[in-house]
Amino acid sequence: MRRHPSKQQIKVAADAAIFTVIGGRLQILLIRMKKRPFTGRWALPGGLLGDRDTARSAVCRILEEQAGMTSCYFLEQLAAFDTPARDPLGRVVSIGHFALVPPTDFRLRTTPKYSDVRWWRADRLPPLAYDHKAQAAAALARLRSELGRSNIAWSVLPRAFTLAQAQSVYEAILGRTLDKRNFRKKFLALGLAAPLGRKSSGAHRPAALYRFRSRRAAGSL
């Protein structure tokens, strides 16, 4: 195979800000690094693209290797992060991604290259390696933007849900309390959910159940 004549030494990486909702709180997945100069520092899952990788296939492979995540669910490309000094070991351009996933569909595990992997509250992040603080902030802003116009919340809600459950998830992601009447009006106006014609059962007062018209987001794999 012929080589490109350029002597450019820039490397390309893929990083991912993976969110979920646990206990009514928005969480983000982080791994703890061993290699210098970020030993002991937390980071978003990520790594360099292989010769046959696309950015999307690379991030899915990396998420399985570094965190035990075998399905990509809703995964969307976020932006390119290309500050020249973002990696002290050399010039690396990162293609950032983000996703919202159910917390129960995979068991967290990591490789010997990393000392830990776990969920962190998105509003209480530790110091992060590289430019991952900026990546996490950009991903959170995009997630909140998508929430207002898409069905992205399907992955953290049951198949049959009440409007109260939906509001709880939206409040966790947005990080603020919402007016009940306004939320329900706006949520239903999006046309993403349909009534099931039955009510919830259990200890609480019965409430109308809804489902998303589609449980597959446009950016999912």
Side-chain angles (χ1 to χ4, degrees):
M1 182 176 66
R2 295 182 64 185
R3 295 286 182 178
H4 195 282
S6 172
K7 295 183 179 180
Q8 187 180 67
Q9 297 299 312
I10 298 174
K11 298 183 182 300
V12 180
D15 294 309
I18 307 298
F19 296 98
T20 195
V21 176
I22 301 174
R25 303 278 188 180
L26 184 66
Q27 313 271 335
I28 189 170
L29 188 64
L30 299 178
I31 58 171
R32 196 170 193 180
M33 302 190 66
K34 286 185 177 180
K35 76 174 185 178
R36 296 177 180 176
F38 295 118
T39 306
R41 198 67 82 83
W42 292 86
L44 300 175
L48 296 176
L49 270 65
D51 288 343
R52 296 185 179 277
D53 279 332
T54 64
R56 186 178 290 268
S57 68
V59 80
C60 288
R61 169 180 55 79
I62 289 164
L63 286 168
E64 181 174 5
E65 293 171 354
Q66 297 181 7
M69 182 175 161
T70 56
S71 297
C72 279
Y73 304 101
F74 177 91
L75 179 71
E76 184 170 304
Q77 194 170 117
L78 177 64
F81 295 85
D82 58 0
T83 303
R86 60 173 303 276
D87 188 330
L89 299 181
R91 185 75 195 276
V92 180
V93 173
S94 170
I95 302 174
H97 297 73
F98 78 100
L100 182 67
V101 306
T104 56
D105 279 15
F106 59 96
R107 285 186 164 186
L108 293 183
R109 59 173 172 76
T110 191
T111 70
K113 290 176 61 177
Y114 303 96
S115 60
D116 200 2
V117 57
R118 66 182 178 92
W119 296 106
W120 283 79
R121 277 182 54 170
D123 61 348
R124 294 184 181 178
L125 295 183
L128 299 181
Y130 306 107
D131 57 355
H132 288 184
K133 180 179 179 180
Q135 288 202 37
L140 179 56
R142 177 73 72 81
L143 174 62
R144 288 171 171 171
S145 176
E146 289 288 340
L147 194 67
R149 61 173 180 258
S150 78
N151 67 337
I152 191 172
W154 70 265
S155 62
V156 288
L157 279 167
R159 288 187 175 273
F161 59 87
T162 65
L163 292 180
Q165 288 175 311
Q167 182 172 340
S168 178
V169 164
Y170 275 61
E171 288 178 340
I173 295 172
L174 295 173
R176 57 187 173 88
T177 302
L178 301 173
D179 177 79
K180 179 179 177 180
R181 183 176 296 179
N182 286 341
F183 168 77
R184 295 185 176 204
K185 181 179 178 181
K186 291 178 180 178
F187 180 78
L188 294 175
L190 288 173
L192 300 171
L196 287 174
R198 54 189 174 89
K199 293 188 176 183
S200 62
S201 59
H204 300 286
R205 183 178 178 181
L209 288 169
Y210 292 79
R211 64 169 177 83
F212 279 108
R213 297 182 188 276
S214 170
R215 288 182 62 86
R216 182 177 177 85
S220 62
L221 296 181

